[in-house]
Amino acid sequence: MHIGDSIRAARKPFFSLEFFPPADEANLPAFFDTVERLHPLAPLFASVTYGAGGGKQRNTLAVTAELARRGINTMAHLTCVGADPESISAYLSELRAAGVDNVLALRGDPPAGEDWDWNTGRFQHASDLVTFARRQQPYMGIGVAAYPAPHPESASISQDRRHTAEKMRSGADFAVTQLFFDAREYADLLEHLRGQGIHTPVIPGILPIQSFASLRRVLALCGANIPGKLYLDLEKADEKGGVEAVREVGLEFAVRQIRFLLENGAPGIHLYTLNKADMCLRLAQESGLLGADARQPAD
């Protein structure tokens, strides 16, 4: 089912989930155990990431196909990096044949250490992928990424907002935001899009903080901003109580963030699971969107 249609049909706030495909096939049983543990969240859909340069494309296809077989509405990531029309067309056909009816069109990040020139490729922007995918698979659901804070490579907030609007106008059915920690940025993004006459659903992405170290790694990878007070609170918690204390501070902050977002018009919440179930379940419980009977043992 098209995710855009599912969002519009949803009568109450929902969760969606993001997973990354295990690099080692030996870890697949544990991965699918995590997926099953998150079943109580009744996710509207699950997205599966895609490695830079296509390095994990086959893993993405295999995982999305299995999730679809298990009855989960699934979305595969799709990037411009190293892509050509023939390979993208073939990949879209494989996804549809596997029962995967949605993709998230991304520019993507170039492979580490390579001198990359975006001007030499057929697909330079996510909007190029959206336009092409829409022509190749008219009935496929297509999502794009949105940035509450500007993308690290954007020259300004206004430029970044224009790029997001262009992706929407290219034919995207919905957007999922990069993770963020200041809900006011999401409100500003929506206000800008609505001012441009764009009413495409935008799902805010939330990261359950697993540890101070993992947070720093994620921030380094995606370039997201973090409020100074939250960072200092997490740092203090790490010094005094370690991982468990950091999780509690992060949990309390994320619960407030989720409540604010839902109260201010977010259709649902997209959780960056990091392939972990426990914190996602706790977030759902503490924010009042999941019954206490769904509590399960820790990861």
Side-chain angles (χ1 to χ4, degrees), residues 200-225:
T200 306
V202 179
I203 309 169
I206 300 297
L207 174 73
I209 297 174
Q210 306 288 341
S211 70
F212 198 44
S214 70
L215 173 65
R216 286 196 295 260
R217 286 195 298 271
V218 170
L219 292 176
L221 286 171
C222 71
N225 300 323

Side-chain angles (χ1 to χ4, degrees), residues 26-48:
N27 294 326
L28 282 173
F31 169 79
F32 286 113
D33 284 346
T34 296
V35 173
E36 290 302 314
R37 287 194 60 217
L38 289 169
H39 179 76
L41 271 63
L44 195 74
F45 65 91
S47 68
V48 183

Side-chain angles (χ1 to χ4, degrees), residues 142-155:
I142 302 175
V144 294
Y147 292 82
H151 188 281
E153 295 179 19
S154 293

Side-chain angles (χ1 to χ4, degrees), residues 14-69:
F14 59 82
F15 283 108
S16 56
L17 308 173
E18 179 164 300
F19 300 107
F20 59 86
D24 187 343
E25 288 188 3
N27 294 326
L28 282 173
F31 169 79
F32 286 113
D33 284 346
T34 296
V35 173
E36 290 302 314
R37 287 194 60 217
L38 289 169
H39 179 76
L41 271 63
L44 195 74
F45 65 91
S47 68
V48 183
T49 65
Y50 179 97
K56 295 182 181 177
Q57 185 187 70
R58 308 318 298 176
N59 288 4
T60 298
L61 178 61
V63 168
T64 52
E66 177 60 20
L67 291 175
R69 190 191 69 79

Side-chain angles (χ1 to χ4, degrees), residues 52-246:
K56 295 182 181 177
Q57 185 187 70
R58 308 318 298 176
N59 288 4
T60 298
L61 178 61
V63 168
T64 52
E66 177 60 20
L67 291 175
R69 190 191 69 79
R70 294 178 180 223
I72 299 173
N73 200 19
T74 310
M75 173 175 69
H77 287 206
L78 188 66
T79 75
C80 296
V81 181
D84 58 73
E86 293 75 19
S87 64
I88 294 296
S89 180
Y91 189 59
L92 291 173
S93 296
E94 286 185 278
L95 288 171
R96 290 299 303 277
V100 179
D101 297 325
N102 300 275
V103 292
L104 186 69
L106 306 164
R107 190 198 69 168
D109 299 315
E114 290 193 21
D115 185 15
W116 195 263
D117 183 0
W118 286 106
N119 295 318
T120 61
R122 165 64 175 80
F123 303 103
Q124 299 173 17
H125 307 285
S127 55
D128 300 331
L129 270 184
V130 174
T131 300
F132 181 81
R134 182 63 70 207
R135 275 202 313 268
Q136 293 294 308
Q137 295 287 348
Y139 303 108
M140 180 167 266
I142 302 175
V144 294
Y147 292 82
H151 188 281
E153 295 179 19
S154 293
S156 66
I157 294 177
S158 60
Q159 182 194 70
D160 193 84
R161 298 290 191 253
R162 287 196 300 273
H163 289 165
T164 301
E166 289 168 8
K167 288 190 285 188
M168 302 290 203
R169 293 192 179 103
S170 296
D173 300 302
F174 62 97
V176 177
T177 78
Q178 177 59 276
L179 63 94
F180 64 98
F181 297 97
D182 189 338
R184 296 171 299 180
E185 295 171 342
Y186 174 82
D188 180 78
L189 171 64
L190 286 190
E191 182 179 5
H192 176 86
L193 292 173
R194 303 306 180 246
Q196 298 293 310
I198 297 171
H199 297 275
T200 306
V202 179
I203 309 169
I206 300 297
L207 174 73
I209 297 174
Q210 306 288 341
S211 70
F212 198 44
S214 70
L215 173 65
R216 286 196 295 260
R217 286 195 298 271
V218 170
L219 292 176
L221 286 171
C222 71
N225 300 323
I226 184 169
K229 184 180 184 307
L230 173 60
Y231 190 88
L232 291 174
D233 287 346
L234 291 167
E235 188 175 49
K236 185 183 298 182
D238 188 51
E239 292 172 355
K240 291 186 174 181
V243 171
E244 289 304 318
V246 168

